[in-house]
Amino acid sequence: LYGNTISSNQNISKISKGVFTTCKKREKCPPWKISAGEVIHDKNKKIINYKNAWLQVYDKPVFYFPKFFHPDPSVKRQSGFLKPQLNESETLGSSFYLPYFHVISENKDLTLKPTVFDSNIVMLQNEYRQENENSSFMADIGLTKGYQSSIEGSNRNNMTHLFTKYTSDLKLQNFSKSDLEISLEKTSNDTYLTLFDANIPETPIKPKNKNLLESQIKLNL
């Protein structure tokens, strides 16, 4: 974070004509940066606020924000929007993905992952995570509305997916190791993963094989 002038105390830092980036400098410019007429760093709330801000990618202005804020780099976990993404597909067309991360509690969080296509398709995904002392649980639930198959006719269909994984250290006294794993992989359509693979973000529970779904219970003693 740098700028033309700076004034700072224990609580607030103000930078005029400020520039912020977490990227290392490559060649002549960092891959991305946010430049603004004024940047205010609230050290207590750990928030960086911007006025008249531009998001620049390789020095090219991409988005303008009259006002904008985000957590400073010291914050490890906070609710808010994540990095958006644009995708292109010969079958599905262009799509825009804008995830939102929500902290539920110290050991639980949720990511809402909507994707909108220019072909009137909408994909709604929710990813839930919970970490306990001796166990963890993760679930990815998705609903895709408006897909029209060229083979099945003109009807627009809804498709769903459900991926879950539960792991636990049972701590059985008679065994040096006692691990339990329960997983479920389910889609409502055989071609679902082939069609929407690029639009389903990579997670530890996303099926590795597009043509083979596995649901299993594993006990390791």
Side-chain angles (χ1 to χ4, degrees):
L1 177 61
Y2 59 92
N4 284 3
T5 61
I6 181 172
S7 61
S8 181
N9 56 40
Q10 292 182 346
N11 302 317
I12 297 289
S13 291
K14 292 184 179 181
I15 300 97
S16 67
K17 296 188 181 301
V19 176
F20 173 83
T21 183
T22 58
C23 298
K24 294 180 179 178
K25 194 155 184 132
R26 301 173 184 173
E27 297 178 351
K28 295 182 179 179
C29 63
W32 72 268
K33 62 185 177 182
I34 299 175
S35 59
E38 183 180 53
V39 182
I40 300 175
H41 181 202
D42 190 320
K43 301 174 185 177
N44 294 326
K45 295 180 179 179
K46 297 184 178 181
I47 292 290
I48 299 178
N49 292 282
Y50 301 85
K51 293 182 181 180
N52 296 322
W54 278 95
L55 171 63
Q56 297 181 338
V57 178
Y58 288 102
D59 280 348
K60 299 293 184 182
V62 178
F63 290 111
Y64 170 75
F65 306 93
K67 290 185 178 181
F68 184 73
F69 73 92
H70 63 76
D72 71 25
S74 67
V75 175
K76 295 182 179 179
R77 193 165 173 264
Q78 180 171 314
S79 297
F81 286 100
L82 304 178
K83 182 181 70 172
Q85 182 175 317
L86 292 172
N87 287 319
E88 289 285 343
S89 168
E90 293 183 1
T91 306
L92 303 172
S94 303
S95 63
F96 178 70
Y97 167 70
L98 180 62
Y100 182 83
F101 176 76
H102 177 64
V103 177
I104 300 173
S105 64
E106 184 178 348
N107 69 322
K108 302 173 186 176
D109 54 55
L110 177 72
T111 305
L112 306 176
K113 303 183 287 187
T115 304
V116 179
F117 297 81
D118 62 1
S119 53
N120 295 324
I121 300 173
V122 177
M123 175 183 282
L124 303 174
Q125 295 180 76
N126 296 315
E127 186 179 297
Y128 173 80
R129 292 165 295 270
Q130 179 173 336
E131 291 290 337
N132 303 314
E133 183 177 358
N134 298 315
S135 66
S136 65
F137 175 73
M138 189 174 182
D140 190 319
I141 304 171
L143 169 64
T144 302
K145 303 181 66 177
Y147 172 69
Q148 180 177 340
S149 172
S150 59
I151 299 174
E152 296 177 1
S154 59
N155 294 330
R156 289 187 176 271
N157 300 318
N158 297 338
M159 293 186 286
T160 60
H161 76 255
L162 173 61
F163 311 137
T164 66
K165 185 175 182 179
Y166 172 79
T167 59
S168 177
D169 183 353
L170 302 178
K171 295 189 177 295
L172 300 180
Q173 294 182 355
N174 294 332
F175 297 90
S176 59
K177 192 173 186 179
S178 53
D179 297 330
L180 173 66
E181 179 181 315
I182 303 173
S183 62
L184 172 67
E185 298 177 355
K186 182 71 174 176
T187 64
S188 62
N189 187 290
D190 289 342
T191 59
Y192 178 84
L193 286 175
T194 304
L195 281 169
F196 294 97
D197 179 66
N199 301 100
I200 303 175
E202 293 295 332
T203 67
I205 59 174
K206 180 181 176 180
K208 305 301 181 185
N209 190 331
K210 300 177 187 178
N211 302 308
L212 178 64
L213 300 179
E214 296 182 340
S215 297
Q216 58 189 359
I217 299 176
K218 296 167 63 177
L219 179 61
N220 182 20
L221 300 175

